[in-house]
Every structure is written in structure tokens, then in C-alpha cells.
Amino acid sequence: MAGVQPSEVHIRINSKRHSRRMIHPVEIDPPPLPPSSASATASPVVYQEVKHFKKWVPWMIPAFVIANTIMFFITMYVNNCPKNSVSCIATFLGRLSFQPFKENPLLGPSSSTLEKMGALDVNKVVHGHQGWRLITCNWLHAGLFHILANMLSLLVIGIRLEREFGFVRIGLLYAISGLGGSVLSALFIQTNISVGASGAVFGLLGGMLSELITNWTLYANKFAALLTLVIIVVVNLAVGILPHVDNFAHIGGFFSGFLLGFVFLIRPQFGWVSQRYAPTASNKPKFKMYQCILWVISLVLLIVGFTVGMVLLLRGVDANDHCSWCHYLSCVPTSKWSCNTQPVSCSTTQTGNQYSITCSTNGKSGTYTLPNATDSQIQGLCLQLCS
């Protein structure tokens, strides 16, 4: 008598992207055979159809890119370097020309313009009750180099995540990560203003990493995804040591997004999906145990972290008192630029069209001939002296 061979069950995959259909084997326990069929040499092949996870059409991430770009142009228009500064870079751009390189090496506006547009200023957040700056600073960019790096990262990472998980979850991840970056920044950046639009972008990077971990078995090329993540993180961290760019927002946004990824971006295990199309029902759980554990731990850490961070911020706690070297994570001063980006003050003496300006911070002074000088031009010269 011939032995009974185990049945082979196949699942027919219905792909919306291609007209052809692919057939893949899946391990499913075969149904019990009736006694009369015990002598059969093989069981018939059973085909079942499994739907892919829903694919979303990405529109929110491109909208974010457009919004950030518009905000940068508005900021440069308000900055108006030819009117408010003695020297500018790329003067052929007219009102959109950039501040001197020594003042802003990223080719962007002045610190006073960024403050006017809603940059993060801890003193105004804590004592001026301007908590909205925790949000508005996420939509500002310090310069042309900064916005190019951010928008490239946003497109590469954000579109893939939105296509896989939809605009609601990715939008929440983006917004909450940006807020988390602002809170951490406010705890460390006590003397300088800062802009951190890349904090929300780093939240997407953190979410991509946690999504890779929690859905590890679903990736076909895991190491390529990791390599892409590492390159983008390194590039943005390198930009973060320059003035006007807030690396604490990068760090806070990254860890917020990393924890949010375990909460928002979890997927059912494939065994649970396939069992719904199997000839016999099985009792496989929707999520693996480690996914549930990571979900609970991440949610608790998020709630505790945001609560503690906001309480410390509103109490005016300076985290630098507990870490004397941490400020170098946000800006490294060199002979080419200064890390003191808050508005400065100077004493001015006028004799006709001649102005003698002295920086109150470092004592540097200079004499300039300025016919019909405006307050903005004097402020620009003051910024250059104090840089």
C-alpha cells in the first residue's frame, strides 16, 4: 500500500500592481483525510486568495514639502537682507538674498528674523506664555542647505511610510515627534534661539527603524533599509553641529518617533493573515508576543517622557546643569562662525554719516560710513561684530 503524502496548500496572491498572478506555498496544517482516501497517492492542491495590505496614495508628505518650502521663501522675504544688512550673499536674488556666511553658514536668514517667525525661545515659552513656539519652530529652516537636506530625507522616508501606513498614522507620528524634539531642545537650549524642522523628519527615521524591528520578517532586504537609515541620520547629524540647527530636536524627535513606531506601525504577523484563507481554522494570534510587549513599553515611555519633559520645561529647569558638555551636541563653535545665535546688543555713536559700533558681548568695535542708515542695517553690523 502506498504511503499518504502530506497535502500541499498554495495561496494565490492577488497583486494590484501586475496583471500576472504569483503562487507561493504557505505552511498550513492539512485537513484530516477520510478513511476511504487513505490509499490515495496525493491530495489535490488547494488554492486560496490572500489580499495584500492596503496601499495608500501618498499626498500628505508632498504637501508637507510644499508647506516647508513656502515657509522658507516667506522667511527669506521677511528677512530682506539688502535692506537690513550691509553685505549679503547672492545679491542677484534681491530681497531673497542670504545673510553673510559668518553670520549664517547655511545660506539663510538672520537669527532676529527666525525669532520673529516663531523660532524656539525658551524664555518666551516659559515666561512669555508662547507655547506655540514649540510647534512653529518645526516648520522653520535655518538655510538653503538645511531645507535641502530635510526635504530629501522627508521624501525618501515619508512617502514610503505614508504609502504603507496611511496619512493619519504618519501625520500623527510626524507631528508628535516634532513636539518631542522641541521639548528636549527647550530643556537644553536655554540661551540661544533654535529652529528644528528636522526634528519631525528624524521622528520618521526613528519610526522607520522601529517599524523595521517590529515587522522584521516582512522585509525582503533588511540590510539595505538599515544602510539607508544610517546614511540619512549621519548627514543630518553633521548639519546639526552648525549654528541655527538644533541637534537636540533631532535627538528628541528621533527617540519620540522610534517609540511611536512601535505603537502606530505594528502589522499583524503573516501567519494570522494566511489562516483566514486556510481550509481549516487555526488559533494563531494576530500579533506576536514581542510586538505586544514593545507596544506596551513604548506607550508607557511616551506618556512618562512627555509628562516629565513638559513639567520640567514649565518649571524652567536647565538640563545643562546636569550635563556640562551636552551643548556641544547642538553647535560646535569655530573661527568661521559663532554658536551664539540669540539677538545681541551694541552701543552706537553717530558723527554725521559715521557710526562707531561696539558689541556689548565681546567688546569688538568698528567704524562705518552709512548715509541714511536704518536701524536694521545697524543691527546687522552689530550681529557681524558679535559673531
Side-chain angles (χ1 to χ4, degrees):
M1 180 181 295
V4 178
Q5 297 182 359
S7 63
E8 182 181 5
V9 179
H10 290 72
I11 291 182
R12 185 182 297 275
I13 304 296
N14 184 9
S15 176
K16 298 180 180 180
R17 298 181 181 178
H18 305 283
S19 59
R20 62 179 182 270
R21 298 175 182 270
M22 302 295 295
I23 298 176
H24 303 279
V26 176
E27 293 181 0
I28 300 177
D29 294 335
L33 297 175
S36 58
S37 61
S39 60
T41 57
S43 299
V45 177
V46 180
Y47 295 94
Q48 298 290 342
E49 186 176 14
V50 174
K51 299 179 181 179
H52 279 156
F53 292 113
K54 180 179 179 180
K55 299 292 183 181
W56 301 76
V57 177
W59 61 268
M60 185 188 63
I61 293 300
F64 283 173
V65 172
I66 295 174
N68 278 281
T69 304
I70 292 175
M71 279 302 304
F72 181 70
F73 276 104
I74 292 175
T75 303
M76 294 307 303
Y77 184 85
V78 172
N79 185 66
N80 195 5
C81 182
K83 179 181 178 181
N84 300 321
S85 300
V86 176
S87 61
C88 302
I89 297 177
T91 54
F92 64 89
L93 295 175
R95 186 163 180 156
L96 300 179
S97 56
F98 310 113
Q99 294 299 121
F101 183 79
K102 187 173 183 179
E103 182 181 348
N104 188 346
L106 293 176
L107 299 180
S110 64
S111 58
S112 58
T113 300
L114 291 172
E115 182 184 21
K116 183 187 302 183
M117 295 298 294
L120 182 60
D121 186 335
V122 176
N123 183 59
K124 293 185 177 181
V125 171
V126 177
H127 304 292
H129 306 290
Q130 298 181 11
W132 48 267
R133 290 181 178 270
L134 294 170
I135 299 175
T136 56
C137 68
N138 290 309
W139 298 90
L140 297 175
H141 288 85
L144 183 62
F145 296 146
H146 190 198
I147 191 172
L148 288 176
N150 280 345
M151 295 305 100
L152 176 62
S153 302
L154 182 58
L155 288 172
V156 171
I157 302 300
I159 287 183
R160 190 197 75 82
L161 288 176
E162 185 181 356
R163 182 182 292 116
E164 295 293 330
F165 297 97
F167 69 93
V168 175
R169 286 189 279 182
I170 300 305
L172 288 174
L173 192 151
Y174 184 90
I176 298 174
S177 297
L179 179 61
S182 297
V183 171
L184 184 65
S185 171
L187 291 174
F188 282 95
I189 307 292
Q190 298 285 320
T191 59
N192 298 333
I193 65 171
S194 65
V195 291
S198 50
V201 177
F202 263 79
L204 295 181
L205 294 177
M208 183 178 179
L209 179 60
S210 56
E211 190 267 334
L212 178 64
I213 294 173
T214 194
N215 303 319
W216 183 259
T217 58
L218 299 179
Y219 274 83
N221 197 339
K222 306 174 181 63
F223 297 102
L226 281 176
L227 181 61
T228 302
L229 263 179
V230 170
I231 292 176
I232 295 178
V233 169
V234 169
V235 169
N236 281 272
L237 286 177
V239 175
I241 65 174
L242 298 174
H244 297 292
V245 184
D246 187 2
N247 245 9
F248 289 113
H250 292 177
I251 298 171
F254 181 84
F255 282 105
S256 297
F258 181 73
L259 295 176
L260 286 167
F262 290 118
V263 177
F264 288 153
L265 309 184
I266 185 174
R267 282 195 186 279
Q269 59 169 314
F270 186 73
W272 178 84
V273 176
S274 61
Q275 76 176 358
R276 295 180 300 172
Y277 304 91
T280 57
S282 59
N283 295 321
K284 293 183 179 180
K286 185 174 183 179
F287 301 105
K288 293 182 179 295
M289 179 61 66
Y290 80 90
Q291 291 178 304
C292 298
I293 294 175
L294 289 174
W295 189 92
V296 173
I297 293 176
S298 299
L299 185 60
V300 171
L301 289 177
L302 280 168
I303 295 174
V304 173
F306 273 93
T307 302
V308 172
M310 290 300 297
V311 170
L312 294 177
L313 174 60
L314 296 178
R315 289 185 176 181
V317 174
D318 187 352
N320 292 290
D321 295 338
H322 307 282
C323 181
S324 59
W325 55 269
C326 286
H327 62 279
Y328 290 114
L329 293 175
S330 183
C331 182
V332 178
T334 69
S335 60
K336 296 294 183 181
W337 61 74
S338 170
C339 290
N340 186 14
T341 56
Q342 69 178 145
V344 294
S345 61
C346 295
S347 59
T348 305
T349 303
Q350 179 182 2
T351 305
N353 291 334
Q354 221 175 38
Y355 293 82
S356 297
I357 304 175
T358 303
C359 177
S360 302
T361 305
N362 55 26
K364 291 183 180 181
S365 61
T367 303
Y368 307 90
T369 301
L370 300 171
N372 302 321
T374 64
D375 292 339
S376 298
Q377 288 178 326
I378 296 176
Q379 178 68 16
L381 291 172
C382 176
L383 287 172
Q384 293 184 39
L385 285 173
C386 295
S387 298

